Amino acid sequence: MSPATPLVEVAGLTKNFVLRQGSGLLRRRLELQAVAGVSFTIDRGETLGLVGESGCGKTTTGRLLLRLLEPTAGTIRFAGREIQRLAEAELRPLRRKMQIVFQDPYGSLDPRMTVEEIVAEPLVVHRIGDRAERARKVRLLLDRVGLPAAWADRHPHEFSGGQRQRIGIARALALEPELLVLDEPVSALDVSIRAQVVNLLVDLARDLGLTYLFISHDLALVRHLCDRVAVMYLGKIVELAPKNALYREPLHPYTQALLSAIPVPRPGRKRERIVLPGDVPSPLRPPPGCRFHTRCPRAMDVCRTVEPQLLEVRPGHQVACHLHPAPVGEGARV
């Protein structure tokens, strides 16, 4: 970690959704804990990967970070400033520094608007430039993401999925942000197009000094793009480490199972697959102790009753698992 203050600091971030079940006298109020006490940092210029199975809370975490959802508890610091309690008027200037690229390149663009209107919309909302200046900037942004400026007058239905995602990236760059939350930005694209968009993201991070939170379930892609990786399971981070350390020697049994599913790109070679029994428990009724113990092949009695804390067990390598207690005198770190 850099000795400088991280761009993003998240501590104890929690999000509960209230659900109503039944009707009349039988109506019940239930709480679904989508994110449960998540803590991490992101340095300036760093790409942090957030991985896990569908429904583990990755996307919710990204949206909480941008205050697109309001957290139930926890703190969020951006550039040293707490933002979780800011009023909308105070938060508005900071929104220029934090943007998101959505997963669905079809649903995230208004089909009634032209590309120029879509990309210029953040500039209009924040009252930046006049119409001619915004038009110039739109064409520069389209060129930056690899699209001809002459296509600015077209509508989203005239583009392929990869081209639409480039439009979404251009829109996210319009306000010159410092942080981009990339919510599975290539999962809806054809395999042949994914590499092009990923390479674009790598180039943008290098050329513009961007910081990324990259949300994905594609572990091979995360290894290519990210500097560090956080693994989530049922609303909690269970392991966080530099990518090389995590892929070389994963410590948490869940991480080991995830990595065992990555195909080996060499004919004739196979990786021993770890198949987890059962299904992911419901976030409405998470199991006591370690949330992974119901599926863990190495679960012990303590795992069923005591929740493990995310502790640094090696330099820069944190894990929440009773199999790997922290060295004596060491405590939890974020």
Side-chain angles (χ1 to χ4, degrees), residues 36-331:
V38 164
S39 300
F40 59 87
T41 62
I42 312 177
D43 283 346
R44 292 178 184 275
E46 182 184 30
T47 297
L48 175 67
L50 192 58
V51 303
E53 295 171 282
S54 295
C56 71
K58 306 186 300 295
T59 292
T60 302
T61 299
R63 296 190 177 208
L64 289 170
L65 182 59
L66 301 182
R67 286 278 306 270
L68 297 178
L69 293 173
E70 294 300 324
T72 303
T75 60
I76 306 166
R77 286 182 177 270
F78 180 80
R81 184 179 182 186
E82 282 196 21
I83 67 169
Q84 77 277 2
R85 294 189 184 91
L86 293 181
E88 183 60 34
E90 298 174 292
L91 186 62
R92 188 182 181 90
L94 286 176
R95 290 201 183 279
R96 295 174 57 173
K97 300 298 182 182
M98 305 181 293
Q99 294 293 307
I100 185 170
V101 176
F102 295 99
Q103 176 180 1
D104 183 5
Y106 298 91
S108 61
L109 304 179
D110 190 330
R112 299 166 298 180
M113 299 172 71
T114 66
V115 170
E116 180 173 335
E117 292 169 333
I118 289 170
V119 177
E121 187 174 20
L123 302 172
V124 173
V125 170
H126 288 269
R127 300 177 181 177
I128 298 174
D130 57 26
R131 187 167 183 174
E133 291 171 334
R134 291 195 289 264
R136 271 195 305 274
K137 183 153 190 176
V138 166
R139 280 156 175 77
L140 289 173
L141 287 166
L142 291 179
D143 181 67
R144 167 69 75 174
V145 300
L147 294 175
W151 292 0
D153 295 330
R154 298 187 181 185
H155 289 79
H157 72 270
E158 300 178 73
F159 296 90
S160 67
Q163 291 169 337
R164 292 187 193 195
Q165 196 60 295
R166 289 173 186 266
I167 296 169
I169 294 170
R171 176 177 59 187
L173 295 176
L175 296 174
E176 301 179 7
E178 296 180 42
L179 171 70
L180 282 187
V181 173
L182 305 170
D183 186 9
E184 303 205 40
V186 297
S187 64
L189 306 181
D190 294 339
V191 174
S192 59
I193 303 300
R194 290 183 186 181
Q196 299 174 21
V197 176
V198 168
N199 289 335
L200 170 64
L201 293 171
V202 171
D203 292 343
L204 291 172
R206 181 193 64 233
D207 297 342
L208 303 178
L210 295 172
T211 301
Y212 291 156
L213 175 63
F214 186 79
I215 299 168
S216 180
H217 60 268
D218 187 333
L219 287 160
L221 178 58
V222 166
R223 184 172 193 175
H224 171 69
L225 189 62
C226 299
D227 300 303
R228 289 188 302 141
V229 182
V231 181
M232 285 192 75
Y233 182 82
L234 204 60
K236 287 185 171 291
I237 291 179
V238 297
E239 189 162 2
L240 196 162
K243 68 173 179 184
N244 290 334
L246 185 123
Y247 282 81
R248 182 176 61 249
E249 191 174 358
L251 299 180
H252 198 282
Y254 178 62
T255 309
Q256 294 166 1
L258 287 180
L259 294 181
S260 76
I262 301 176
V264 178
R266 296 183 184 177
R269 288 194 60 182
K270 293 184 179 180
R271 180 183 282 114
E272 183 180 352
R273 179 74 187 273
I274 301 173
V275 180
L276 299 175
D279 298 319
V280 179
S282 169
L284 286 170
R285 291 176 294 276
C290 175
R291 296 187 174 202
F292 185 61
H293 84 259
T294 59
R295 305 174 71 199
C296 181
R298 303 175 65 187
M300 305 176 290
D301 288 341
V302 67
C303 303
R304 299 177 177 87
T305 56
V306 179
E307 181 178 341
Q309 301 301 305
L310 187 66
L311 304 176
E312 186 174 61
V313 298
R314 296 176 184 172
H317 197 146
Q318 303 167 48
V319 64
C321 181
H322 292 300
L323 294 168
H324 303 282
V328 175
E330 293 289 331

